[in-house]
Amino acid sequence: MEYFVIVISAIFVSNIVLTQFLGVCPFLGVSTRISTSVGMGGAVLFVMTLATMTTWIFQYYVLNPFGLGFMQTIVFILVIAALVQMVEIILKKVSPALYQALGVFLPLITTNCAVLGVAILTIQKQFNLMESVVFAMSTAIGFTMALVIFAGIREHLEMMEVPKGMRGVPIALVTAGILALAFMGFTGMVR
Amino acid sequence: MIELMNYNSHILTLINRRTMSQIKNFTKGFLKENPVFVLLLGMCPTLGTTTSALNGLGMGLATAFVLTMSNMVISLVKNQIPDKVRIPSFIVIIASFVTIVELIMQAYVPALFEQLGLFIPLIVVNCIVLGRAEAFASKNTVWSSVLDGLGMGLGFAFALTILGSVRELLGSGAIFGFHFIKGDLMLVFVLAPGAFIALGYIIALINKINKTA
């Protein structure tokens, strides 16, 4: 039951992009086609779950026992950067097909604030390892969902006649705002 | 004689051009190359922390500090860092300054630190900071890197304060806590959707200004 609450709240109620404003850069950057946004979503799902697991272990087995809590930011970003690099190398060797699909997005993920954000959030929320993994996965699913919906809208938007000054980024931001308005409907569903 | 005069004027224009370009290093961050409104970098803190003008300003100044200091240190050590490990080294330098800011803010402005929350440690992954380190500080002198960092950082703070003021005014009728309008207002502007919508319209406006200027 508790896991169910975590999943629902991470995907809908406090959607990472539309209510927490994490990962807005890729949300605006790679959301012009549905196919690319699915690829990006897959890469984020993969990296976010792995990164959260690794940083959780680092926090509770390295930082806390030695009283190095203040090093959290430095350690986490290094772990994530190293992890992304490692995933890229391993994926290239083990599964070239998957690498073809996700490869382009991997370097972008190091600077995706959603990954570091979720890693820090799980520590702040004092989740245990299993809860952290579930939280990370459902957050990534929420991210992918927002991205795909937004890409779908933007594909249609391209064929619309938008006032000249609003073309491009401004209309995309206003659209995202309306999408966020829709997600506000979920507020209060959990707790 | 004429040659000497020519030489003199040549030197003068060179000096002039140098000071001009130094000034430009500083001022370009405000409108022409504003990191938020024009380059569209650092969107997450821009949207996430601008619920009021004060929060926006606080976040902007914290980022400006990190940007200036990391630009300075990176341009100082740029020749010592091997090319292959340059990005990880930059990240470590940036993360150190972020930790410094985190600890200082926690000690002296705990209320603001609480409000900004997650976004302070997330300065590490702000594309502006790493972007300036890679594009400017790793190629230029210390002094122009500091000016560049300061200009870009203050441009970022400027953008966040503008967005924060607009949202605070439309949402609760105040700027920096001073009330201007009484009565029911559009609360949605303080909430998440308002951030996207307000920023969209401000960017359209800035595009218009930059095009006519």
Side-chain angles (χ1 to χ4, degrees):
Chain A
M1 193 59 205
E2 209 146 275
Y3 292 121
F4 182 72
V5 171
I6 292 175
V7 170
I8 294 294
S9 85
I11 297 180
F12 296 107
V13 181
S14 47
N15 184 285
I16 187 107
V17 184
L18 295 169
T19 63
Q20 312 245 28
F21 302 114
L22 297 178
V24 177
C25 295
F27 180 68
L28 292 173
V30 294
S31 61
T32 40
R33 288 272 164 281
I34 291 185
S35 51
T36 49
S37 48
V38 171
M40 183 71 187
V44 167
L45 178 67
F46 197 60
V47 172
M48 197 181 267
T49 314
L50 265 179
T52 309
M53 214 151 67
T54 323
T55 49
W56 191 93
I57 292 167
F58 260 86
Q59 176 77 28
Y60 285 98
Y61 289 98
V62 180
L63 295 185
N64 282 359
F66 295 104
L68 292 170
F70 64 92
M71 293 278 283
Q72 195 190 48
T73 315
I74 300 179
V75 170
F76 277 21
I77 188 68
L78 280 181
V79 167
I80 291 170
L83 196 77
V84 171
Q85 204 92 67
M86 213 173 71
V87 166
E88 206 176 336
I89 294 168
I90 293 174
L91 222 55
K92 212 188 233 170
K93 279 260 186 282
V94 176
S95 160
L98 198 61
Y99 179 76
Q100 280 280 304
L102 305 182
V104 233
F105 304 106
L106 282 174
L108 288 174
I109 288 179
T110 317
T111 51
N112 182 340
C113 45
V115 178
L116 181 61
V118 168
I120 297 174
L121 269 179
T122 49
I123 305 299
Q124 277 180 4
K125 293 187 182 218
Q126 298 180 324
F127 284 152
N128 63 33
L129 185 57
M130 198 57 215
E131 285 170 340
S132 303
V133 171
V134 171
F135 178 69
M137 280 174 99
S138 35
T139 304
I141 292 169
F143 174 79
T144 313
M145 193 183 65
L147 204 63
V148 170
I149 294 174
F150 192 51
I153 297 176
R154 275 182 98 173
E155 277 185 3
H156 280 275
L157 210 58
E158 256 170 39
M159 286 173 268
M160 296 293 145
E161 225 168 279
V162 179
K164 210 168 150 203
M166 294 296 287
R167 265 174 219 167
V169 181
I171 193 70
L173 279 166
V174 174
T175 312
I178 294 167
L179 201 56
L181 210 55
F183 268 77
M184 267 179 71
F186 294 114
T187 317
M189 245 172 65
V190 178
R191 249 171 283 174
Chain B
M1 190 64 195
I2 291 170
E3 261 178 24
L4 195 70
M5 269 172 70
N6 267 344
Y7 181 73
N8 266 347
S9 68
H10 180 65
I11 293 283
L12 262 180
T13 40
L14 261 186
I15 292 173
N16 247 338
R17 204 177 292 158
R18 261 191 80 188
T19 42
M20 274 311 286
S21 78
Q22 293 287 25
I23 294 170
K24 221 182 218 156
N25 277 340
F26 181 68
T27 54
K28 71 186 175 205
F30 281 85
L31 267 184
K32 268 270 167 287
E33 281 185 43
N34 188 294
V36 176
F37 295 146
V38 180
L39 304 178
L40 305 171
L41 296 173
M43 280 296 162
C44 308
T46 305
L47 295 164
T49 62
T50 50
T51 45
S52 72
L54 190 65
N55 286 355
L57 184 64
M59 182 69 205
L61 290 182
T63 312
F65 172 78
V66 173
L67 193 51
T68 313
M69 297 308 281
S70 65
N71 254 11
M72 185 178 83
V73 171
I74 286 165
S75 67
L76 277 172
V77 298
K78 62 176 184 276
N79 295 329
Q80 268 72 45
I81 298 175
D83 215 36
K84 270 189 180 161
V85 292
R86 104 183 156 273
I87 301 282
S89 324
F90 292 170
I91 290 180
V92 173
I93 292 170
I94 294 167
S96 317
F97 283 110
V98 170
T99 308
I100 292 172
V101 167
E102 228 180 313
L103 294 177
I104 291 176
M105 288 185 77
Q106 210 166 0
Y108 293 104
V109 276
L112 186 65
F113 181 77
E114 197 78 358
Q115 283 269 312
L116 300 177
L118 197 53
F119 287 99
I120 294 292
L122 286 183
I123 296 176
V124 181
V125 281
N126 190 324
C127 346
I128 302 168
V129 183
L130 193 61
R132 290 329 284 178
E134 170 73 0
F136 200 93
S138 63
K139 296 185 187 79
N140 285 288
T141 57
V142 178
W143 181 229
S144 37
S145 301
V146 169
L147 280 181
D148 176 78
L150 202 61
M152 277 288 164
L154 291 180
F156 184 67
F158 168 72
L160 261 63
T161 314
I162 298 258
L163 184 60
S165 308
V166 169
R167 287 180 64 190
E168 200 183 346
L169 185 67
L170 290 175
S172 58
I175 294 178
F176 283 111
F178 297 109
H179 278 269
F180 290 104
I181 311 167
K182 294 262 147 62
D184 287 336
L185 285 140
M186 295 170 276
L187 189 65
V188 72
F189 275 97
V190 183
L191 302 173
F196 287 108
I197 295 171
L199 185 62
Y201 280 104
I202 291 177
I203 287 177
L205 192 71
I206 298 276
N207 279 348
K208 178 90 181 152
I209 292 172
N210 273 343
K211 218 170 263 173
T212 46

